[in-house]
Amino acid sequence: MISLPGPLVTNLLRFLFLGLSALAPPSRAELQLHLPTNQLQAVEGGEVVLPAWYTLHAEVSSAQPGEVPFVMWFFKDKEKEDQVLSYINGVTTSKPGVSLVYSMPSRNLSLRLEGLQEKDSGPYSCSVNVQDKNGQASGHSIKTLELNVLVPPAPPSCRLQGVPRVGANVTLSCQSPRSKPAVQYQWDRQLPSFQTFFAPVLDVIRGSLSLTNLSSSMAGVYVCKAHNEVGTAQCNVTLEVSTGPGAAVVAGAVVGTLVGLGLLAGLVLLYHRRGKALEEPANDIKEDAIAPRTLPWPKSSDTISKNGTLSSVTSARALRPPHGPPRPGALTPTPSLSSQALPSPRLPTIDGANPQPISLIPGGVSSSGLSRMGAVPVMVPAQSQAGSLV
């Protein structure tokens, strides 16, 4: 196969090709080129024949001896017009996948296109110029036909949107990435029993199937079919309806439990810190605290006893019995021997003799009697005039 000439050479050949019929003397025969007027359709990946033939008026359809046709096919896309095949002086040049159906010379100029793609859609023009053996032009004609390459649906993808549990709503979606013309969709349930769906639950344009208020009987294998004029493709999805709580519910319960435990731990920690903060001021030692007030020395009626480094002061008035008889019904408080401070024995001063300790017990009870009664002697620290304990 000879490669095509460059664009400049192609345009030059076309100009010369068209000029032959204009410069040559006209013939009494009239050339007519025949192409279909309706749009031709083909399928991507296949092949198609663009029919074309010419006739000379008042002559038979077959080529006459010495008849020389000059043929050119052009394709015009959105940007430019390209030559796809030419037959000039017995030499054929064409692009890959393009050929003439019949061997030349012939009045049948049909063009075969193989390995079609969607981009091959568009107008195709056939130009023919016929000369006789003497080089005289028998006629010239050019006509155009339209080719539309269709694309079958590409395999679609099926998806399940939503959580398939009892009482919930889900949507089955189906999309084909490529097709020409646009596809329409159909959803069917194959197993366990066949069921076909229609609008409004089915959207034939978008390929969605809406299932509401799911039940266990709605489980099964759902098949989506994408179809157009030239093909069909399908995919399927298995719907399993669960009866337990959804994953979102379980996750929400777990998160709620963790949040509750965190709040409880925070409250316990806050209570503990608050109690500790209240205890710390009570245990603080204040260096600038005021010393206790100095107790006055007892009067002459008070009993003062000193023994070594320890002293006790006891008011004698507290030890005196009440004056007069007790009133009827009145309760006489009895001091506890274990909790009341016992006075130290008075040390009377006797000139010329050593002081002898004399036990003075309230109520006239001797120390030996108190011992038999179970009393325990208590040493009470005395307070000095400076207010300190000695």
Side-chain angles (χ1 to χ4, degrees):
M1 186 75 65
I2 302 175
S3 60
L4 287 174
L8 182 60
V9 178
T10 301
N11 294 333
L12 180 60
L13 289 175
R14 186 176 184 185
F15 174 77
L16 294 176
F17 177 78
L18 296 176
L20 289 175
S21 59
L23 297 177
S27 174
R28 291 176 297 178
E30 182 182 353
L31 186 146
Q32 292 183 349
L33 182 60
H34 305 276
L35 273 74
T37 57
N38 60 317
Q39 185 185 66
L40 298 180
Q41 291 186 348
V43 180
E44 186 179 58
E47 66 177 44
V48 66
V49 173
L50 307 182
W53 70 96
Y54 72 90
T55 59
L56 293 174
H57 185 66
E59 292 182 0
V60 294
S61 59
S62 60
Q64 297 300 318
E67 181 178 316
V68 181
F70 295 85
V71 182
M72 297 184 71
W73 279 93
F74 301 92
F75 170 69
K76 185 178 182 180
D77 58 9
K78 297 180 180 180
E79 298 180 356
K80 60 182 179 178
E81 186 178 46
D82 290 333
Q83 177 184 301
V84 295
L85 183 141
S86 67
Y87 174 77
I88 299 175
N89 296 327
V91 179
T92 302
T93 58
S94 64
K95 285 188 173 182
V98 181
S99 63
L100 291 170
V101 178
Y102 297 94
S103 299
M104 300 302 288
S106 173
R107 289 188 176 181
N108 194 321
L109 312 177
S110 299
L111 187 69
R112 176 184 287 113
L113 303 177
E114 299 175 330
L116 290 174
Q117 298 181 5
E118 184 183 2
K119 65 181 181 179
D120 296 329
S121 299
Y124 287 80
S125 300
C126 179
S127 176
V128 59
N129 184 23
V130 179
Q131 294 181 354
D132 59 16
K133 59 182 179 180
N134 299 323
Q136 293 182 351
S138 300
H140 170 264
S141 181
I142 181 171
K143 286 189 176 181
T144 302
L145 60 79
E146 191 77 20
L147 175 64
N148 184 23
V149 180
L150 304 180
V151 180
S157 59
C158 293
R159 294 186 303 168
L160 171 64
Q161 300 175 351
V163 181
R165 63 175 183 273
V166 174
N169 302 332
V170 297
T171 299
L172 305 182
S173 63
C174 178
Q175 288 293 324
S176 176
R178 185 169 177 265
S179 67
K180 181 185 177 181
V183 298
Q184 291 188 348
Y185 300 93
Q186 177 63 48
W187 276 98
D188 301 318
R189 187 179 70 171
Q190 302 291 340
L191 297 174
S193 60
F194 183 81
Q195 182 181 2
T196 301
F197 298 92
F198 303 94
V201 296
L202 173 65
D203 190 334
V204 297
I205 304 300
R206 298 181 179 179
S208 61
L209 176 64
S210 299
L211 302 177
T212 60
N213 194 18
L214 288 179
S215 62
S216 300
S217 62
M218 299 174 68
V221 179
Y222 289 76
V223 178
C224 171
K225 295 180 180 179
H227 59 88
N228 63 5
E229 300 176 9
V230 293
T232 302
Q234 67 180 34
C235 62
N236 63 77
V237 61
T238 301
L239 177 64
E240 298 179 354
V241 182
S242 61
T243 57
V249 177
V250 175
V254 172
V255 172
T257 302
L258 294 178
V259 171
L261 292 177
L263 292 176
L264 181 60
L267 292 176
V268 172
L269 182 61
L270 181 62
Y271 178 79
H272 177 71
R273 290 183 177 179
R274 186 179 181 88
K276 187 176 181 181
L278 293 176
E279 292 177 357
E280 288 179 354
N283 298 330
D284 290 343
I285 300 177
K286 298 181 180 180
E287 298 180 355
D288 57 347
I290 301 175
R293 185 171 57 89
T294 304
L295 295 177
W297 289 100
K299 298 179 181 180
S300 59
S301 60
D302 296 336
T303 303
I304 302 175
S305 64
K306 296 182 180 181
N307 185 9
T309 61
L310 296 178
S311 302
S312 64
V313 179
T314 305
S315 176
R317 289 189 294 268
L319 302 178
R320 295 172 185 159
H323 297 281
R327 291 178 296 177
L331 297 178
T332 303
T334 304
S336 174
L337 298 178
S338 62
S339 61
Q340 187 175 9
L342 297 178
S344 300
R346 295 185 63 183
L347 300 177
T349 303
I350 302 176
D351 296 336
N354 294 329
Q356 298 294 330
I358 301 174
S359 176
L360 298 178
I361 304 304
V365 183
S366 62
S367 59
S368 60
L370 290 176
S371 298
R372 287 192 301 270
M373 294 172 61
V376 178
V378 177
M379 300 290 292
V380 179
Q383 191 173 19
S384 64
Q385 293 183 357
S388 60
L389 298 178
V390 294

